[in-house]
Coordinates of all heavy atoms in Angstrom, one line a residue:
H7 N 45.1 81.7 87.5 CA 45.1 83.2 87.2 C 46.2 83.5 86.2 O 46.1 84.2 85.3 CB 45.2 84.0 88.5 CG 45.4 85.5 88.2 ND1 44.3 86.3 87.8 CD2 46.4 86.3 88.3 CE1 44.8 87.5 87.7 NE2 46.0 87.5 88.0
Y8 N 47.5 83.0 86.5 CA 48.6 83.3 85.7 C 48.4 82.7 84.3 O 48.8 83.3 83.3 CB 49.9 82.8 86.3 CG 50.3 83.6 87.5 CD1 50.4 82.9 88.8 CD2 50.6 84.9 87.4 CE1 50.7 83.7 89.9 CE2 50.9 85.6 88.5 CZ 51.0 85.0 89.8 OH 51.4 85.7 90.9
Q11 N 46.1 84.9 82.4 CA 46.8 86.1 81.9 C 47.7 85.7 80.8 O 47.8 86.5 79.8 CB 47.6 86.6 83.0 CG 46.9 87.6 84.0 CD 47.9 88.2 84.9 OE1 48.8 87.7 85.4 NE2 47.6 89.5 85.2
K12 N 48.4 84.6 80.8 CA 49.3 84.2 79.8 C 48.6 84.0 78.5 O 49.1 84.4 77.4 CB 50.1 82.9 80.2 CG 51.1 82.5 79.2 CD 51.8 81.3 79.6 CE 52.7 80.8 78.5 NZ 53.3 79.5 78.8
M20 N 44.3 94.0 81.9 CA 45.0 93.1 82.8 C 45.0 93.6 84.2 O 44.9 94.8 84.5 CB 46.4 92.8 82.3 CG 47.4 93.9 82.6 SD 49.0 93.5 82.2 CE 49.9 94.9 82.9
D21 N 45.2 92.7 85.1 CA 45.3 93.1 86.5 C 46.7 93.8 86.6 O 47.5 93.7 85.8 CB 45.4 91.8 87.4 CG 44.0 91.1 87.5 OD1 43.0 91.7 87.2 OD2 44.0 89.9 87.7
A22 N 46.8 94.6 87.7 CA 48.1 95.3 87.9 C 49.3 94.3 87.9 O 49.1 93.2 88.4 CB 48.0 96.1 89.1
F23 N 50.4 94.7 87.3 CA 51.6 93.9 87.4 C 52.0 93.9 88.8 O 52.2 95.0 89.4 CB 52.6 94.6 86.5 CG 53.7 93.6 86.0 CD1 53.4 92.7 85.0 CD2 55.0 93.7 86.6 CE1 54.4 91.8 84.6 CE2 56.0 92.8 86.1 CZ 55.7 91.9 85.1
T24 N 52.2 92.7 89.4 CA 52.5 92.6 90.8 C 53.9 92.8 91.2 O 54.8 92.7 90.3 CB 52.0 91.3 91.3 OG1 52.9 90.2 90.8 CG2 50.6 91.0 91.0
E25 N 54.1 93.1 92.5 CA 55.5 93.2 93.0 C 56.2 91.9 92.8 O 57.4 91.9 92.4 CB 55.4 93.6 94.5 CG 56.8 93.8 95.1 CD 56.6 94.3 96.6 OE1 55.5 94.6 97.0 OE2 57.7 94.3 97.2
R26 N 55.6 90.8 93.0 CA 56.2 89.4 92.8 C 56.6 89.2 91.3 O 57.7 88.8 91.0 CB 55.2 88.4 93.2 CG 55.7 87.0 92.8 CD 55.6 86.0 94.0 NE 55.9 84.6 93.6 CZ 57.2 84.1 93.6 NH1 58.2 84.9 94.1 NH2 57.4 82.9 93.2
Q27 N 55.7 89.6 90.4 CA 56.1 89.5 89.0 C 57.3 90.3 88.6 O 58.2 89.9 87.9 CB 54.9 89.9 88.1 CG 53.8 88.9 88.1 CD 52.5 89.4 87.4 OE1 52.1 90.6 87.6 NE2 52.0 88.6 86.5
E28 N 57.3 91.6 89.1 CA 58.5 92.4 88.9 C 59.7 91.8 89.5 O 60.8 91.8 88.8 CB 58.3 93.8 89.5 CG 59.4 94.8 89.3 CD 59.3 96.1 90.0 OE1 58.3 96.3 90.7 OE2 60.2 96.9 89.8
A29 N 59.7 91.2 90.7 CA 60.8 90.6 91.3 C 61.3 89.4 90.5 O 62.5 89.2 90.4 CB 60.5 90.2 92.8
L30 N 60.4 88.6 90.0 CA 60.7 87.5 89.2 C 61.5 87.9 87.9 O 62.5 87.3 87.5 CB 59.5 86.7 88.8 CG 58.9 85.8 89.9 CD1 57.5 85.3 89.5 CD2 59.8 84.7 90.2
V31 N 61.0 88.9 87.3 CA 61.6 89.4 86.0 C 63.0 90.0 86.4 O 64.0 89.7 85.7 CB 60.7 90.5 85.3 CG1 61.5 91.2 84.2 CG2 59.5 89.8 84.8
N32 N 63.1 90.8 87.5 CA 64.4 91.4 87.8 C 65.4 90.3 88.2 O 66.6 90.4 87.8 CB 64.2 92.3 89.0 CG 63.6 93.7 88.6 OD1 63.9 94.1 87.5 ND2 62.9 94.3 89.5
S33 N 65.0 89.3 88.9 CA 66.0 88.3 89.3 C 66.4 87.4 88.1 O 67.6 87.1 88.0 CB 65.4 87.4 90.4 OG 64.3 86.6 90.0
S34 N 65.5 87.2 87.2 CA 65.9 86.4 86.0 C 66.7 87.3 85.0 O 67.6 86.7 84.3 CB 64.7 85.8 85.3 OG 63.7 86.7 85.1
A95 N 58.6 95.6 82.6 CA 58.0 95.0 83.8 C 58.1 96.0 85.0 O 57.1 96.2 85.7 CB 58.8 93.8 84.2
V96 N 59.2 96.7 85.1 CA 59.3 97.7 86.2 C 58.3 98.9 86.0 O 57.6 99.3 86.9 CB 60.8 98.3 86.2 CG1 60.9 99.5 87.2 CG2 61.8 97.2 86.6
L98 N 55.5 98.7 84.3 CA 54.1 98.2 84.5 C 53.8 98.2 86.0 O 52.6 98.5 86.3 CB 54.0 96.8 83.9 CG 53.9 96.7 82.4 CD1 54.0 95.3 81.9 CD2 52.6 97.3 81.9
R99 N 54.7 97.8 86.8 CA 54.5 97.8 88.2 C 54.3 99.2 88.8 O 53.4 99.5 89.5 CB 55.6 97.1 88.9 CG 55.6 97.2 90.4 CD 54.7 96.1 91.0 NE 54.9 96.2 92.5 CZ 53.9 96.6 93.3 NH1 52.8 96.9 92.8 NH2 54.2 96.6 94.6
E150 N 55.9 78.6 85.7 CA 54.8 79.2 84.9 C 54.6 80.7 85.3 O 54.3 81.5 84.4 CB 53.5 78.4 85.2 CG 52.4 78.8 84.3 CD 52.5 78.3 82.9 OE1 53.2 77.3 82.6 OE2 51.8 78.9 82.0
E151 N 54.8 81.0 86.5 CA 54.7 82.4 87.0 C 55.7 83.3 86.4 O 55.4 84.4 86.0 CB 54.8 82.4 88.5 CG 54.4 83.7 89.2 CD 54.5 83.6 90.7 OE1 55.0 82.6 91.3 OE2 54.0 84.5 91.3
L152 N 56.9 82.8 86.3 CA 58.0 83.5 85.7 C 57.8 83.7 84.2 O 57.9 84.8 83.6 CB 59.4 82.8 85.9 CG 60.6 83.5 85.3 CD1 60.8 84.9 85.8 CD2 61.8 82.6 85.6
D153 N 57.4 82.7 83.5 CA 57.0 82.7 82.1 C 55.9 83.8 81.9 O 56.0 84.6 81.0 CB 56.5 81.3 81.7 CG 56.0 81.2 80.3 OD1 54.9 81.6 80.0 OD2 56.8 80.8 79.4
C154 N 54.9 83.8 82.7 CA 53.8 84.7 82.6 C 54.3 86.2 82.8 O 53.9 87.1 82.0 CB 52.7 84.4 83.6 SG 51.3 85.5 83.5
A155 N 55.1 86.4 83.8 CA 55.6 87.8 84.1 C 56.4 88.3 82.9 O 56.2 89.4 82.5 CB 56.5 87.7 85.4
W156 N 57.3 87.5 82.4 CA 58.1 88.0 81.2 C 57.2 88.1 80.0 O 57.3 89.1 79.2 CB 59.2 87.0 80.9 CG 60.5 87.3 81.6 CD1 60.9 86.8 82.8 CD2 61.5 88.2 81.2 NE1 62.1 87.3 83.1 CE2 62.5 88.1 82.2 CE3 61.7 89.0 80.1 CZ2 63.7 88.9 82.1 CZ3 62.9 89.8 80.0 CH2 63.9 89.7 81.0
I158 N 54.0 88.9 79.9 CA 53.2 90.2 80.0 C 54.1 91.4 79.7 O 53.7 92.3 78.9 CB 52.6 90.3 81.4 CG1 51.5 89.2 81.6 CG2 52.0 91.7 81.6 CD1 51.0 89.1 83.0
A159 N 55.2 91.4 80.3 CA 56.1 92.6 80.0 C 56.5 92.7 78.5 O 56.4 93.8 77.9 CB 57.4 92.4 80.9

Side-chain angles (χ1 to χ4, degrees):
H7 173 74
Y8 291 118
Q11 275 188 323
K12 183 180 175 189
M20 79 172 185
D21 295 335
F23 202 77
T24 68
E25 184 176 348
R26 172 133 174 91
Q27 288 172 312
E28 181 185 3
L30 285 168
V31 171
N32 282 331
S33 65
S34 52
V96 172
L98 286 169
R99 171 84 173 112
E150 186 75 22
E151 189 178 12
L152 179 58
D153 179 275
C154 182
W156 271 93
I158 291 169

